[in-house]
Amino acid sequence: MQDNFNQQIENLKINLIKMASLVDEQAEKAFTALETGNVELCRGIKAKELEVNIYDNLIQTQCENILALFQPVAVDLRFIISVMMINNQLERCGDIAVNIAQRVKKTNEHHSLIAETQILEMGKQAREMLKNAIDSFINNNIDLANKVIDSDESVDKFNKQIFKALVLKMQNETQLIEPCAHLIVLTRHIERLADHATNIAENLVFYVNARIIAHKKKFEKWGVSDQTID
Amino acid sequence: MKTKFHIKDLDLFFKEEKVLKQINFEIPANKILGIIGPSGSGKTTFLRALNRMNDLEDGTRIEGNILLDEEDIYKPDYDVVALRKKVGMVFAMPVPLPMSIYENVVYGVRLSGVNDSKLLDELVEKSLTASYLWDEVKDRLKTSGMRLSGGQQQRLCLARVLAMEPEVILLDEPCSGLDPISTAKIEDALTVLKKDYTIILVTNNTKQAARVADNTAFFLMGELIEIGSTGQIFTTPNRIETNDYITGRFG
Ligand SMILES: Nc1ncnc2c1ncn2[C@@H]1O[C@H](COP(=O)(O)OP(=O)(O)OP(=O)(O)O)[C@@H](O)[C@H]1O
Ligand SMILES: [Mg+2]
Protein backbone atom coordinates (compact mmCIF):
# COMPACT_ATOMS: atom_id res chain seq x y z
CA MET A 1 0.00 0.00 0.00
CA GLN A 2 2.85 2.35 0.89
CA ASP A 3 4.51 1.56 -2.45
CA ASN A 4 1.33 2.30 -4.31
CA PHE A 5 0.95 5.55 -2.42
CA ASN A 6 4.52 6.64 -3.17
CA GLN A 7 4.03 5.81 -6.81
CA GLN A 8 0.89 7.91 -7.01
CA ILE A 9 2.63 10.82 -5.28
CA GLU A 10 5.54 10.54 -7.69
CA ASN A 11 3.17 10.47 -10.63
CA LEU A 12 1.34 13.52 -9.33
CA LYS A 13 4.55 15.44 -8.98
CA ILE A 14 5.58 14.54 -12.54
CA ASN A 15 2.27 15.83 -13.89
CA LEU A 16 2.58 19.05 -11.94
CA ILE A 17 6.07 19.58 -13.35
CA LYS A 18 4.78 18.95 -16.88
CA MET A 19 2.00 21.45 -16.27
CA ALA A 20 4.50 23.95 -14.91
CA SER A 21 6.74 23.64 -17.95
CA LEU A 22 3.78 24.29 -20.26
CA VAL A 23 2.87 27.42 -18.32
CA ASP A 24 6.50 28.43 -18.22
CA GLU A 25 6.65 28.16 -22.03
CA GLN A 26 3.54 30.33 -22.33
CA ALA A 27 5.06 32.94 -20.06
CA GLU A 28 8.40 32.79 -21.88
CA LYS A 29 6.72 33.47 -25.21
CA ALA A 30 4.53 36.26 -23.84
CA PHE A 31 7.41 38.08 -22.21
CA THR A 32 9.73 37.64 -25.19
CA ALA A 33 6.99 39.08 -27.40
CA LEU A 34 6.64 41.98 -25.00
CA GLU A 35 10.37 42.60 -25.00
CA THR A 36 11.05 42.18 -28.72
CA GLY A 37 7.71 43.28 -30.15
CA ASN A 38 7.66 40.07 -32.15
CA VAL A 39 3.92 39.33 -32.11
CA GLU A 40 4.43 36.12 -34.07
CA LEU A 41 5.46 34.58 -30.75
CA CYS A 42 2.00 35.22 -29.33
CA ARG A 43 0.41 32.62 -31.60
CA GLY A 44 1.32 29.44 -29.77
CA ILE A 45 0.32 30.76 -26.37
CA LYS A 46 -3.42 30.44 -26.68
CA ALA A 47 -3.05 26.99 -28.26
CA LYS A 48 -1.21 25.72 -25.18
CA GLU A 49 -4.17 26.63 -23.01
CA LEU A 50 -6.06 23.47 -23.92
CA GLU A 51 -3.15 21.28 -22.87
CA VAL A 52 -2.76 23.21 -19.62
CA ASN A 53 -6.43 22.70 -18.83
CA ILE A 54 -6.14 18.98 -19.45
CA TYR A 55 -3.32 18.77 -16.91
CA ASP A 56 -5.27 20.96 -14.52
CA ASN A 57 -8.18 18.51 -14.57
CA LEU A 58 -5.91 15.48 -14.40
CA ILE A 59 -4.04 16.79 -11.36
CA GLN A 60 -7.30 17.75 -9.67
CA THR A 61 -8.66 14.24 -10.17
CA GLN A 62 -5.46 12.60 -8.98
CA CYS A 63 -5.47 14.68 -5.80
CA GLU A 64 -9.09 13.81 -5.16
CA ASN A 65 -8.37 10.11 -5.61
CA ILE A 66 -5.37 10.14 -3.32
CA LEU A 67 -7.35 11.97 -0.63
CA ALA A 68 -10.23 9.52 -0.89
CA LEU A 69 -8.18 6.34 -1.12
CA PHE A 70 -5.26 7.03 1.21
CA GLN A 71 -6.54 9.77 3.53
CA PRO A 72 -3.02 11.12 3.95
CA VAL A 73 -2.03 13.01 7.08
CA ALA A 74 0.72 15.37 8.20
CA VAL A 75 3.44 16.02 5.60
CA ASP A 76 1.63 13.87 3.00
CA LEU A 77 -1.57 15.84 3.45
CA ARG A 78 0.31 19.12 3.16
CA PHE A 79 1.87 17.87 -0.05
CA ILE A 80 -1.52 17.18 -1.63
CA ILE A 81 -2.93 20.49 -0.43
CA SER A 82 0.03 22.40 -1.84
CA VAL A 83 -0.15 20.54 -5.16
CA MET A 84 -3.82 21.51 -5.45
CA MET A 85 -3.04 25.13 -4.69
CA ILE A 86 -0.01 25.29 -6.98
CA ASN A 87 -1.97 23.63 -9.77
CA ASN A 88 -4.62 26.30 -9.43
CA GLN A 89 -2.04 29.10 -9.42
CA LEU A 90 -0.29 27.69 -12.47
CA GLU A 91 -3.51 27.48 -14.40
CA ARG A 92 -4.13 31.16 -13.72
CA CYS A 93 -0.59 32.04 -14.73
CA GLY A 94 -1.32 30.37 -18.07
CA ASP A 95 -4.45 32.50 -18.47
CA ILE A 96 -2.48 35.60 -17.65
CA ALA A 97 0.17 34.75 -20.24
CA VAL A 98 -2.67 34.66 -22.80
CA ASN A 99 -3.94 38.03 -21.55
CA ILE A 100 -0.49 39.55 -21.73
CA ALA A 101 -0.07 38.31 -25.30
CA GLN A 102 -3.36 39.93 -26.27
CA ARG A 103 -2.27 43.30 -24.92
CA VAL A 104 1.15 42.96 -26.55
CA LYS A 105 -0.60 42.55 -29.92
CA LYS A 106 -2.78 45.58 -29.28
CA THR A 107 0.11 47.83 -28.30
CA ASN A 108 2.58 46.58 -30.86
CA GLU A 109 2.72 49.86 -32.76
CA HIS A 110 3.68 51.68 -29.58
CA HIS A 111 6.68 49.64 -28.63
CA SER A 112 8.61 52.79 -27.84
CA LEU A 113 6.06 53.55 -25.14
CA ILE A 114 6.80 50.19 -23.54
CA ALA A 115 10.51 50.87 -23.63
CA GLU A 116 10.02 54.37 -22.22
CA THR A 117 8.19 53.26 -19.07
CA GLN A 118 9.59 50.53 -16.80
CA ILE A 119 7.28 47.85 -18.15
CA LEU A 120 10.15 45.72 -19.44
CA GLU A 121 11.96 45.78 -16.10
CA MET A 122 8.74 44.87 -14.35
CA GLY A 123 8.11 42.08 -16.83
CA LYS A 124 11.60 40.69 -16.38
CA GLN A 125 11.16 40.59 -12.64
CA ALA A 126 7.75 38.89 -12.79
CA ARG A 127 9.05 36.39 -15.34
CA GLU A 128 12.00 35.60 -13.09
CA MET A 129 9.68 35.16 -10.11
CA LEU A 130 7.53 32.61 -11.92
CA LYS A 131 10.61 30.71 -13.07
CA ASN A 132 12.05 30.67 -9.56
CA ALA A 133 8.73 29.69 -8.00
CA ILE A 134 8.52 26.70 -10.32
CA ASP A 135 12.17 25.77 -9.70
CA SER A 136 11.64 26.09 -5.96
CA PHE A 137 8.94 23.45 -5.84
CA ILE A 138 10.65 21.14 -8.29
CA ASN A 139 13.76 21.17 -6.10
CA ASN A 140 12.12 21.78 -2.69
CA ASN A 141 14.26 24.89 -2.47
CA ILE A 142 13.01 27.01 0.42
CA ASP A 143 15.64 29.72 -0.04
CA LEU A 144 14.58 30.27 -3.61
CA ALA A 145 10.92 30.34 -2.54
CA ASN A 146 11.70 33.00 0.04
CA LYS A 147 13.52 35.01 -2.60
CA VAL A 148 10.36 34.95 -4.74
CA ILE A 149 8.23 36.06 -1.79
CA ASP A 150 10.61 38.95 -1.12
CA SER A 151 10.52 40.14 -4.74
CA ASP A 152 6.77 40.67 -4.75
CA GLU A 153 6.98 44.08 -3.17
CA SER A 154 9.24 45.55 -5.85
CA VAL A 155 6.85 44.38 -8.60
CA ASP A 156 4.05 46.19 -6.78
CA LYS A 157 6.23 49.28 -6.68
CA PHE A 158 6.91 49.08 -10.42
CA ASN A 159 3.18 48.75 -10.98
CA LYS A 160 2.42 51.95 -9.10
CA GLN A 161 5.18 53.94 -10.78
CA ILE A 162 4.21 52.77 -14.26
CA PHE A 163 0.57 53.57 -13.58
CA LYS A 164 1.50 57.13 -12.64
CA ALA A 165 3.73 57.53 -15.69
CA LEU A 166 1.03 56.25 -18.03
CA VAL A 167 -1.66 58.50 -16.53
CA LEU A 168 0.64 61.46 -17.01
CA LYS A 169 1.21 60.40 -20.61
CA MET A 170 -2.53 60.23 -21.22
CA GLN A 171 -3.02 63.70 -19.79
CA ASN A 172 -0.31 65.20 -21.95
CA GLU A 173 -0.77 63.28 -25.17
CA THR A 174 -4.44 62.46 -25.66
CA GLN A 175 -3.76 60.58 -28.88
CA LEU A 176 -1.96 57.99 -26.71
CA ILE A 177 -4.93 57.32 -24.41
CA GLU A 178 -5.83 54.04 -26.04
CA PRO A 179 -2.39 52.39 -26.06
CA CYS A 180 -1.73 53.70 -22.56
CA ALA A 181 -4.98 52.18 -21.32
CA HIS A 182 -3.93 48.85 -22.82
CA LEU A 183 -0.58 49.15 -21.12
CA ILE A 184 -2.21 49.84 -17.75
CA VAL A 185 -4.16 46.63 -18.14
CA LEU A 186 -0.96 44.88 -19.27
CA THR A 187 0.96 45.94 -16.18
CA ARG A 188 -1.96 44.85 -14.04
CA HIS A 189 -1.66 41.38 -15.62
CA ILE A 190 2.06 41.31 -14.93
CA GLU A 191 1.40 42.29 -11.35
CA ARG A 192 -1.12 39.44 -10.98
CA LEU A 193 1.38 36.98 -12.46
CA ALA A 194 3.90 38.00 -9.81
CA ASP A 195 1.21 37.50 -7.13
CA HIS A 196 0.54 33.97 -8.33
CA ALA A 197 4.27 33.21 -8.40
CA THR A 198 4.40 34.44 -4.81
CA ASN A 199 1.49 32.18 -3.85
CA ILE A 200 3.25 29.20 -5.39
CA ALA A 201 6.34 29.98 -3.33
CA GLU A 202 4.20 30.34 -0.20
CA ASN A 203 2.62 26.96 -0.85
CA LEU A 204 6.03 25.38 -1.00
CA VAL A 205 6.94 26.94 2.35
CA PHE A 206 3.67 25.57 3.77
CA TYR A 207 4.47 22.10 2.52
CA VAL A 208 8.01 22.06 3.82
CA ASN A 209 7.72 24.09 7.02
CA ALA A 210 4.05 23.55 7.89
CA ARG A 211 3.61 27.30 8.12
CA ILE A 212 0.94 29.30 6.38
CA ILE A 213 2.50 32.57 5.30
CA ALA A 214 -0.11 33.96 2.92
CA HIS A 215 -1.44 37.31 4.10
CA LYS A 216 1.32 37.51 6.68
CA LYS A 217 2.15 41.11 5.78
CA LYS A 218 -1.47 42.16 6.14
CA PHE A 219 -1.71 40.46 9.50
CA GLU A 220 1.43 42.21 10.65
CA LYS A 221 -0.05 45.53 9.63
CA TRP A 222 -3.19 44.78 11.64
CA GLY A 223 -1.11 43.70 14.60
CA VAL A 224 -2.31 40.11 14.64
CA SER A 225 -0.30 36.98 13.99
CA ASP A 226 -1.64 33.98 12.09
CA GLN A 227 -1.27 31.97 15.30
CA THR A 228 -3.81 34.14 17.12
CA ILE A 229 -6.62 33.31 14.73
CA ASP A 230 -8.39 30.04 15.46
CA MET B 1 -9.66 21.33 32.95
CA LYS B 2 -9.85 18.49 35.46
CA THR B 3 -7.14 15.84 35.46
CA LYS B 4 -8.45 12.29 35.79
CA PHE B 5 -5.20 10.32 35.72
CA HIS B 6 -1.77 11.59 36.52
CA ILE B 7 0.98 9.21 35.43
CA LYS B 8 4.33 9.89 37.03
CA ASP B 9 7.63 8.23 36.06
CA LEU B 10 5.86 4.99 35.29
CA ASP B 11 8.01 1.93 34.56
CA LEU B 12 6.38 -1.47 34.17
CA PHE B 13 8.20 -4.80 34.18
CA PHE B 14 7.10 -8.28 33.20
CA LYS B 15 9.69 -10.30 35.14
CA GLU B 16 13.00 -8.79 33.95
CA GLU B 17 11.63 -7.18 30.83
CA LYS B 18 10.82 -3.47 31.05
CA VAL B 19 7.81 -2.90 28.80
CA LEU B 20 6.84 0.63 29.85
CA LYS B 21 9.57 3.21 30.27
CA GLN B 22 9.34 6.51 32.09
CA ILE B 23 5.79 7.39 31.15
CA ASN B 24 4.81 10.87 32.33
CA PHE B 25 1.60 12.65 31.42
CA GLU B 26 -1.85 13.66 32.55
CA ILE B 27 -5.15 12.43 31.19
CA PRO B 28 -7.88 15.08 31.32
CA ALA B 29 -11.40 14.17 32.45
CA ASN B 30 -14.33 14.12 30.00
CA LYS B 31 -12.14 13.80 26.95
CA ILE B 32 -11.27 10.96 24.65
CA LEU B 33 -7.60 10.02 24.68
CA GLY B 34 -6.52 7.94 21.70
CA ILE B 35 -3.48 5.71 22.12
CA ILE B 36 -1.74 4.62 18.95
CA GLY B 37 1.48 2.77 18.25
CA PRO B 38 2.78 -0.35 16.53
CA SER B 39 2.18 -3.87 17.78
CA GLY B 40 4.11 -4.57 20.95
CA SER B 41 4.62 -0.90 21.82
CA GLY B 42 2.90 -1.31 25.18
CA LYS B 43 -0.55 0.16 24.52
CA THR B 44 -2.50 -2.69 26.08
CA THR B 45 -0.07 -2.97 28.96
CA PHE B 46 -0.46 0.73 29.67
CA LEU B 47 -4.25 0.51 29.51
CA ARG B 48 -4.30 -2.46 31.87
CA ALA B 49 -2.04 -0.59 34.28
CA LEU B 50 -4.81 2.00 34.68
CA ASN B 51 -7.16 -0.45 36.39
CA ARG B 52 -4.48 -2.79 37.73
CA MET B 53 -5.41 -5.62 35.40
CA ASN B 54 -1.71 -6.45 35.02
CA ASP B 55 -1.69 -7.42 38.70
CA LEU B 56 -3.46 -10.61 37.70
CA GLU B 57 -0.28 -11.59 35.83
CA ASP B 58 2.58 -13.09 37.85
CA GLY B 59 5.86 -11.23 37.88
CA THR B 60 4.39 -7.82 37.05
CA ARG B 61 6.01 -4.94 38.83
CA ILE B 62 5.66 -1.20 38.50
CA GLU B 63 7.73 1.77 39.57
CA GLY B 64 6.44 5.31 39.66
CA ASN B 65 2.85 6.33 40.32
CA ILE B 66 -0.55 6.40 38.73
CA LEU B 67 -2.90 8.84 40.42
CA LEU B 68 -6.63 8.60 39.81
CA ASP B 69 -8.39 11.70 41.12
CA GLU B 70 -5.12 12.50 42.88
CA GLU B 71 -5.04 9.18 44.73
CA ASP B 72 -2.31 6.61 44.08
CA ILE B 73 -4.05 3.47 42.79
CA TYR B 74 -1.00 1.31 43.57
CA LYS B 75 -0.75 2.24 47.22
CA PRO B 76 -1.05 -0.87 49.42
CA ASP B 77 -4.51 -0.27 50.92
CA TYR B 78 -6.16 0.85 47.68
CA ASP B 79 -9.48 -0.93 47.02
CA VAL B 80 -8.88 -2.73 43.73
CA VAL B 81 -12.47 -3.94 43.41
CA ALA B 82 -13.71 -0.36 43.70
CA LEU B 83 -11.04 0.69 41.20
CA ARG B 84 -12.24 -1.79 38.57
CA LYS B 85 -15.81 -0.59 39.10
CA LYS B 86 -14.73 3.00 38.65
CA VAL B 87 -12.50 2.17 35.65
CA GLY B 88 -14.37 -0.16 33.28
CA MET B 89 -12.83 -1.95 30.32
CA VAL B 90 -14.03 -3.10 26.91
CA PHE B 91 -11.84 -5.65 25.12
CA ALA B 92 -11.01 -6.25 21.47
CA MET B 93 -12.98 -9.47 21.27
CA PRO B 94 -16.54 -9.03 22.52
CA VAL B 95 -17.25 -11.59 25.24
CA PRO B 96 -21.01 -11.99 25.61
CA LEU B 97 -21.96 -14.30 28.45
CA PRO B 98 -24.17 -17.30 27.65
CA MET B 99 -27.32 -15.62 28.91
CA SER B 100 -29.97 -13.18 27.69
CA ILE B 101 -29.18 -9.71 26.42
CA TYR B 102 -30.82 -8.30 29.51
CA GLU B 103 -28.79 -10.44 31.90
CA ASN B 104 -25.60 -9.63 30.00
CA VAL B 105 -26.10 -5.95 30.71
CA VAL B 106 -26.90 -6.30 34.41
CA TYR B 107 -24.44 -9.10 35.13
CA GLY B 108 -21.94 -7.00 37.04
CA VAL B 109 -24.61 -4.95 38.74
CA ARG B 110 -26.33 -8.08 40.07
CA LEU B 111 -22.97 -9.39 41.30
CA SER B 112 -22.55 -6.22 43.29
CA GLY B 113 -25.83 -7.00 45.04
CA VAL B 114 -28.48 -4.94 43.24
CA ASN B 115 -31.69 -6.91 42.55
CA ASP B 116 -34.47 -4.31 42.36
CA SER B 117 -36.08 -5.19 39.04
CA LYS B 118 -37.38 -1.70 38.33
CA LEU B 119 -33.91 -0.29 38.89
CA LEU B 120 -32.40 -2.97 36.67
CA ASP B 121 -34.97 -2.33 33.91
CA GLU B 122 -34.06 1.33 33.90
CA LEU B 123 -30.38 0.56 33.89
CA VAL B 124 -30.74 -1.80 30.92
CA GLU B 125 -32.58 0.75 28.83
CA LYS B 126 -30.21 3.54 29.77
CA SER B 127 -27.05 1.53 29.09
CA LEU B 128 -28.26 0.03 25.82
CA THR B 129 -29.40 3.45 24.63
CA ALA B 130 -26.03 4.99 25.46
CA SER B 131 -24.23 2.20 23.63
CA TYR B 132 -26.41 2.76 20.54
CA LEU B 133 -27.92 -0.75 20.73
CA TRP B 134 -31.36 -0.19 22.31
CA ASP B 135 -33.34 0.23 19.09
CA GLU B 136 -31.94 -2.97 17.64
CA VAL B 137 -32.64 -5.20 20.66
CA LYS B 138 -35.43 -3.64 22.70
CA ASP B 139 -37.96 -6.19 21.43
CA ARG B 140 -35.81 -9.22 22.18
CA LEU B 141 -34.09 -8.54 25.47
CA LYS B 142 -34.75 -12.11 26.58
CA THR B 143 -32.90 -13.71 23.67
CA SER B 144 -29.34 -14.85 24.05
CA GLY B 145 -26.54 -12.30 23.80
CA MET B 146 -24.58 -14.89 21.85
CA ARG B 147 -27.04 -14.54 18.97
CA LEU B 148 -26.08 -10.94 18.25
CA SER B 149 -23.72 -9.95 15.43
CA GLY B 150 -20.12 -9.09 16.25
CA GLY B 151 -20.79 -5.37 16.13
CA GLN B 152 -23.87 -5.74 18.32
CA GLN B 153 -21.98 -7.92 20.78
CA GLN B 154 -19.33 -5.26 21.12
CA ARG B 155 -21.97 -2.64 21.90
CA LEU B 156 -23.51 -5.09 24.38
CA CYS B 157 -20.16 -5.29 26.15
CA LEU B 158 -19.99 -1.51 26.22
CA ALA B 159 -23.50 -1.46 27.74
CA ARG B 160 -22.37 -3.94 30.40
CA VAL B 161 -19.52 -1.61 31.34
CA LEU B 162 -21.84 1.41 31.34
CA ALA B 163 -24.34 -0.35 33.60
CA MET B 164 -21.67 -0.40 36.31
CA GLU B 165 -21.70 3.40 36.13
CA PRO B 166 -17.93 3.81 35.93
CA GLU B 167 -16.11 7.13 35.63
CA VAL B 168 -13.50 5.96 33.17
CA ILE B 169 -13.95 3.64 30.18
CA LEU B 170 -10.92 1.86 28.79
CA LEU B 171 -11.29 0.38 25.33
CA ASP B 172 -8.69 -1.89 23.76
CA GLU B 173 -9.19 -1.95 19.99
CA PRO B 174 -12.95 -2.19 20.37
CA CYS B 175 -13.60 -2.03 16.64
CA SER B 176 -11.08 -4.49 15.29
CA GLY B 177 -12.98 -6.83 13.01
CA LEU B 178 -16.10 -4.64 12.90
CA ASP B 179 -17.65 -3.33 9.70
CA PRO B 180 -17.68 0.45 9.06
CA ILE B 181 -21.28 0.90 10.24
CA SER B 182 -20.76 -0.92 13.54
CA THR B 183 -17.54 1.02 13.95
CA ALA B 184 -19.35 4.30 13.34
CA LYS B 185 -21.97 3.38 15.95
CA ILE B 186 -19.32 2.74 18.58
CA GLU B 187 -17.52 5.94 17.65
CA ASP B 188 -20.77 7.91 17.85
CA ALA B 189 -21.50 6.39 21.24
CA LEU B 190 -18.06 7.34 22.54
CA THR B 191 -18.38 10.89 21.31
CA VAL B 192 -21.61 11.30 23.27
CA LEU B 193 -20.36 9.41 26.32
CA LYS B 194 -17.35 11.64 26.88
CA LYS B 195 -19.65 14.26 28.41
CA ASP B 196 -20.02 11.96 31.41
CA TYR B 197 -16.95 9.75 31.25
CA THR B 198 -13.24 9.87 30.66
CA ILE B 199 -12.49 7.63 27.71
CA ILE B 200 -9.20 6.02 26.80
CA LEU B 201 -9.18 4.30 23.45
CA VAL B 202 -6.35 2.08 22.24
CA THR B 203 -6.57 1.60 18.51
CA ASN B 204 -4.50 0.05 15.78
CA ASN B 205 -6.38 2.22 13.35
CA THR B 206 -4.80 5.66 13.38
CA LYS B 207 -7.71 7.03 11.36
CA GLN B 208 -10.03 6.07 14.21
CA ALA B 209 -7.96 8.07 16.68
CA ALA B 210 -8.04 10.97 14.22
CA ARG B 211 -11.83 10.73 14.00
CA VAL B 212 -12.78 10.50 17.65
CA ALA B 213 -9.93 11.35 20.01
CA ASP B 214 -9.47 14.81 21.51
CA ASN B 215 -5.87 14.03 22.37
CA THR B 216 -3.63 11.38 20.89
CA ALA B 217 -0.64 9.63 22.46
CA PHE B 218 1.91 7.77 20.38
CA PHE B 219 3.71 4.83 22.01
CA LEU B 220 6.80 3.17 20.60
CA MET B 221 8.77 0.35 22.24
CA GLY B 222 7.34 1.07 25.66
CA GLU B 223 7.93 4.80 25.48
CA LEU B 224 5.49 7.65 25.15
CA ILE B 225 7.02 9.40 22.16
CA GLU B 226 4.56 12.23 21.78
CA ILE B 227 1.21 13.39 23.06
CA GLY B 228 -0.80 16.34 21.83
CA SER B 229 -4.15 17.46 20.55
CA THR B 230 -5.31 15.09 17.83
CA GLY B 231 -5.33 17.96 15.34
CA GLN B 232 -1.69 18.73 16.04
CA ILE B 233 -0.53 15.09 16.00
CA PHE B 234 -2.14 14.43 12.61
CA THR B 235 -1.10 17.67 10.92
CA THR B 236 2.20 18.72 12.44
CA PRO B 237 3.66 16.00 14.68
CA ASN B 238 6.75 17.16 16.52
CA ARG B 239 8.65 13.90 16.42
CA ILE B 240 9.90 12.19 13.30
CA GLU B 241 8.86 8.79 14.75
CA THR B 242 5.27 10.00 15.05
CA ASN B 243 5.36 11.37 11.52
CA ASP B 244 6.68 8.09 10.14
CA TYR B 245 4.06 6.05 11.98
CA ILE B 246 0.98 8.08 11.07
CA THR B 247 2.05 8.44 7.44
CA GLY B 248 2.71 4.69 7.20
CA ARG B 249 6.43 5.01 6.55
CA PHE B 250 7.20 2.97 9.60
CA GLY B 251 9.70 0.12 9.78
N1 LIG C 1 1.84 -11.14 30.17
C1 LIG C 1 2.98 -10.78 29.61
N2 LIG C 1 4.15 -11.31 29.98
C2 LIG C 1 5.31 -10.93 29.42
N3 LIG C 1 5.42 -9.99 28.45
C3 LIG C 1 4.30 -9.42 28.04
C4 LIG C 1 3.01 -9.77 28.58
N4 LIG C 1 2.08 -9.01 27.95
C5 LIG C 1 2.75 -8.25 27.07
N5 LIG C 1 4.07 -8.46 27.12
C6 LIG C 1 5.10 -7.77 26.32
O1 LIG C 1 4.96 -6.40 26.54
C7 LIG C 1 5.18 -5.67 25.35
C8 LIG C 1 3.99 -4.77 25.09
O2 LIG C 1 2.85 -5.55 24.79
P1 LIG C 1 1.41 -4.95 24.60
O3 LIG C 1 0.46 -6.07 24.56
O4 LIG C 1 1.20 -3.91 25.64
O5 LIG C 1 1.56 -4.25 23.19
P2 LIG C 1 0.46 -3.53 22.30
O6 LIG C 1 1.00 -2.18 21.99
O7 LIG C 1 -0.86 -3.60 22.96
O8 LIG C 1 0.46 -4.39 20.97
P3 LIG C 1 -0.74 -4.82 19.98
O9 LIG C 1 -1.00 -3.65 19.10
O10 LIG C 1 -0.17 -5.96 19.20
O11 LIG C 1 -1.92 -5.21 20.82
C9 LIG C 1 5.42 -6.70 24.28
O12 LIG C 1 6.80 -6.79 24.05
C10 LIG C 1 4.88 -7.98 24.86
O13 LIG C 1 5.60 -9.08 24.37
MG1 LIG D 1 -2.70 -4.55 22.48
Side-chain angles (χ1 to χ4, degrees), chain B residues 14-15 17 19-20 37-46 54 57-58 60 172-173 202 204 219:
Chain B
F14 284 124
K15 306 241 160 59
E17 197 194 350
V19 290
L20 293 177
S39 187
S41 59
K43 305 180 297 294
T44 297
T45 305
F46 175 74
N54 293 314
E57 210 82 46
D58 269 353
T60 313
D172 194 355
E173 297 173 38
V202 164
N204 268 332
F219 277 65

Side-chain angles (χ1 to χ4, degrees), chain A residues 4 6 48 72 166 171 213 223:
Chain A
N4 186 8
N6 288 336
K48 281 251 181 302
L166 288 169
Q171 283 165 344
I213 50 172

Side-chain angles (χ1 to χ4, degrees), chain B residues 4-17:
Chain B
K4 198 68 189 170
F5 279 106
H6 194 157
I7 294 99
K8 289 180 174 172
D9 298 327
L10 178 70
D11 288 328
L12 191 145
F13 302 82
F14 284 124
K15 306 241 160 59
E16 292 313 304
E17 197 194 350

Side-chain angles (χ1 to χ4, degrees), chain B:
Chain B
M1 199 190 308
K2 191 172 174 295
T3 296
K4 198 68 189 170
F5 279 106
H6 194 157
I7 294 99
K8 289 180 174 172
D9 298 327
L10 178 70
D11 288 328
L12 191 145
F13 302 82
F14 284 124
K15 306 241 160 59
E16 292 313 304
E17 197 194 350
K18 195 177 189 176
V19 290
L20 293 177
K21 300 163 195 166
Q22 281 299 303
I23 312 285
N24 275 294
F25 72 112
E26 293 178 24
I27 302 176
N30 300 105
K31 299 257 183 244
I32 301 178
L33 170 69
I35 299 181
I36 58 171
S39 187
S41 59
K43 305 180 297 294
T44 297
T45 305
F46 175 74
L47 204 65
R48 290 162 62 94
L50 297 178
N51 68 350
R52 293 186 55 173
M53 291 273 280
N54 293 314
D55 292 15
L56 307 174
E57 210 82 46
D58 269 353
T60 313
R61 184 163 60 83
I62 79 146
E63 284 171 15
N65 310 90
I66 298 180
L67 310 187
L68 171 59
D69 295 326
E70 294 173 10
E71 208 183 340
D72 191 337
I73 63 171
Y74 281 89
K75 73 180 181 190
D77 57 347
Y78 198 90
D79 183 347
V80 180
V81 175
L83 172 68
R84 298 207 183 117
K85 189 169 177 306
K86 200 168 165 180
V87 183
M89 186 153 183
V90 176
F91 302 91
M93 289 302 291
V95 270
L97 306 166
M99 47 182 79
S100 71
I101 293 171
Y102 185 101
E103 288 305 321
N104 259 282
V105 176
V106 299
Y107 181 75
V109 184
R110 270 201 208 285
L111 275 188
S112 68
V114 180
N115 266 311
D116 180 325
S117 67
K118 190 161 169 291
L119 204 70
L120 293 179
D121 286 354
E122 276 171 20
L123 207 49
V124 166
E125 177 167 355
K126 196 172 142 215
S127 308
L128 287 171
T129 305
S131 66
Y132 278 51
L133 188 58
W134 178 249
D135 286 341
E136 288 161 61
V137 300
K138 61 172 186 274
D139 300 323
R140 48 170 169 146
L141 294 173
K142 297 278 171 263
T143 59
S144 168
M146 317 278 282
R147 301 240 302 263
L148 296 173
S149 75
Q152 289 170 330
Q153 286 182 5
Q154 192 56 299
R155 280 176 281 148
L156 180 65
C157 293
L158 179 58
R160 187 160 65 213
V161 168
L162 294 174
M164 295 297 286
E165 302 185 308
E167 294 175 19
V168 179
I169 307 170
L170 309 176
L171 301 108
D172 194 355
E173 297 173 38
C175 300
S176 59
L178 297 194
D179 71 293
I181 292 172
S182 302
T183 299
K185 282 185 178 152
I186 300 233
E187 291 177 358
D188 287 346
L190 296 182
T191 312
V192 175
L193 286 169
K194 74 174 174 184
K195 281 197 216 70
D196 302 313
Y197 304 86
T198 301
I199 296 172
I200 304 168
L201 168 68
V202 164
T203 175
N204 268 332
N205 178 350
T206 56
K207 306 279 177 334
Q208 178 167 60
R211 283 193 298 268
V212 301
D214 298 296
N215 297 299
T216 297
F218 172 57
F219 277 65
L220 180 63
M221 293 179 9
E223 284 180 66
L224 171 66
I225 299 295
E226 182 169 358
I227 177 161
S229 77
T230 299
Q232 179 252 313
I233 295 289
F234 284 94
T235 55
T236 49
N238 287 322
R239 295 278 300 262
I240 186 78
E241 296 93 332
T242 315
N243 180 74
D244 288 353
Y245 183 70
I246 62 171
T247 59
R249 285 182 177 75
F250 201 77

Side-chain angles (χ1 to χ4, degrees), chain A residues 127-192:
Chain A
R127 171 77 193 96
E128 172 101 352
M129 283 170 72
L130 179 62
K131 205 172 201 43
N132 286 341
I134 292 171
D135 281 353
S136 76
F137 83 69
I138 291 177
N139 302 312
N140 272 352
N141 185 338
I142 282 284
D143 293 337
L144 196 57
N146 282 321
K147 195 177 148 198
V148 173
I149 294 167
D150 291 340
S151 314
D152 195 36
E153 220 163 313
S154 85
V155 170
D156 289 346
K157 237 178 238 160
F158 271 129
N159 191 31
K160 284 186 189 123
Q161 283 167 5
I162 295 167
F163 180 80
K164 268 190 202 149
L166 288 169
V167 168
L168 202 65
K169 246 316 175 262
M170 291 194 273
Q171 283 165 344
N172 296 337
E173 299 171 59
T174 48
Q175 79 280 8
L176 290 180
I177 284 180
E178 195 181 329
C180 284
H182 283 307
L183 289 179
I184 285 176
V185 177
L186 176 69
T187 51
R188 169 80 184 136
H189 287 318
I190 297 175
E191 192 251 330
R192 291 300 296 153

